[in-house]
Amino acid sequence: MFKKLRTVIYHVTDIQKAKQWYMDVTGVQPYFDESFYVGFDINGCELGLDPDMTNIDEGNMAIAYWSVDDIEAAVKQLSQQGATIVMNIAGVGEGIKTAVVHDPFGNAVGLIEEEERQD
């Protein structure tokens, strides 16, 4: 049924600040940049910013996890750029580590690092 993560949309109260923050932390320029939506292509996955806060409560219970090569470095960089650690780095088995931060706009951003498998 599910194939891969395709799109993650973060609702934000200030789309300009959010756009700049995500440009800074990803090093990617948006491919779509309008007042009602900003879209980034992160290696084939859409990271969208939506300023419409209708029926949106800050920080929901769903967390999308972004793959990273070095989770310690990623958490450090995000923290230095204003993210708040929600769940510290933890080993979850088979060489996989996860962590969760809140971006400055209250969205949960999951990070996941997997050891390369030796076949």
Side-chain angles (χ1 to χ4, degrees):
M1 180 189 305
F2 294 136
K3 293 183 180 181
K4 66 176 185 172
L5 184 62
R6 166 61 181 86
T7 304
V8 175
I9 297 175
Y10 296 128
H11 291 268
V12 297
T13 54
D14 187 327
I15 198 162
Q16 293 303 317
K17 284 184 180 177
K19 176 177 71 172
Q20 187 61 54
W21 193 82
Y22 278 96
M23 287 180 357
D24 290 346
V25 301
T26 65
V28 174
Q29 296 292 315
Y31 76 88
F32 187 87
D33 188 355
E34 296 290 337
S35 62
F36 57 89
Y37 186 83
V38 174
F40 296 85
D41 180 345
I42 309 294
N43 296 315
C45 183
E46 171 122 357
L47 187 161
L49 303 175
D50 183 348
D52 182 1
M53 297 299 287
T54 305
N55 296 320
I56 300 296
D57 293 324
E58 184 177 297
N60 59 28
M61 295 173 27
I63 302 172
Y65 287 81
W66 294 92
S67 178
V68 297
D69 291 328
D70 182 340
I71 198 164
E72 286 85 3
V75 168
K76 182 178 179 182
Q77 177 186 347
L78 291 169
S79 296
Q80 289 172 341
Q81 293 186 266
T84 304
I85 298 171
V86 177
M87 298 169 80
N88 287 317
I89 298 167
V92 295
E94 297 186 12
I96 299 170
K97 297 178 191 174
T98 63
V100 178
V101 301
H102 275 169
D103 71 10
F105 316 97
N107 296 294
V109 178
L111 306 169
I112 187 166
E113 176 191 317
E114 297 181 73
E115 286 183 0
E116 290 188 31
R117 294 186 177 188
Q118 305 296 322
D119 293 327

